[in-house]
Amino acid sequence: MKVAVLGAGAMGCLFGAAFHRAGAQVTLVDVNRGHIDAINADGLEVDLRSGVERLPIAAALPNALTDKVDLVVVFTKTFHTQAALEGISAVIGEHTHLLSLQNGLGNDKRLAGFVSDERVLVGASMLPSDMVGPGRIRSHGEGYSKLYPAFGKDTSFALEVCETLTSGGLETVLDPKIHEVIWSKAIFNATMNPLCALTRRTPGFLGANPESRATIRAAVAEGIATAHANGVMLDGQPIYDLTEVSMTDHADHEPSMLQDLHAGRRTEVDALNGAIVAAAKAKGVAAPVLETLGNLVKLEEAKLADAAR
């Protein structure tokens, strides 16, 4: 299998490493030249609980790609999806599948404009991963990944992807209720990411304080009510359970929104809190906690923009 991982950040590299271990021909694609150069010079360093490995994976800037691939795994920020896929159009052929493992809602529709509907896959991963430096990532924690065709019913290629990732060390399964899984992850992220970003602390800090625990429960409850109002009848308890895992097993993990604010970057709050709150308002559901968390993150982004002027 020829695989291009579009967006070779912490999660993209984690999945690229799994495809590589399983024998796939992998190219990590990113616009960060220093990161790409480090991988090509010394390999990708992956720090796991089981030990540190250095993998000889190819890495490239988008405009360097020319050969068609079987699969593009999209890990870019949601607001970069359109431009990022346009930038690697040379690798997307008539048999290429696209898989979004991005945060937030609506990623299936963003991919649908680039390939036929039956070649769009969507998924969600609850694995932690942090960027340590150029060419170096760390993933210390357990998790799982699920995926499924976004619109079609033919699961043959999706199953091959699951088997490849599992063979490479990342357990991945097919889940026909993938849209419930995506909503669940979006609710989780819209709760935990802003709280970590706003406090500038990792999940372990949230678990040690009753104020954050109360806010977490209220935010998750709003997300569940919104999903149900929109016909997504997910079970809410696994989301509460996942917040507990985050505050214990992933206590020192820096969520992506916290990483973004530390780096002075725009966050994905619009695809998380913004999307859920919009869905809530469309159905007359109140989501004041999720909306407030989202608004506060937007203010943090505005502060960064002011400082950059």
Side-chain angles (χ1 to χ4, degrees), residues 215-233:
T215 304
I216 288 166
R217 291 202 67 83
V220 170
E222 290 178 1
I224 293 167
T226 300
H228 289 177
N230 282 271
V232 183
M233 306 312 293

Side-chain angles (χ1 to χ4, degrees), residues 4 14 84 122 188 229 234 260 292:
L14 184 67
V122 289
F188 168 83
L234 53 82
D260 289 338
T292 299

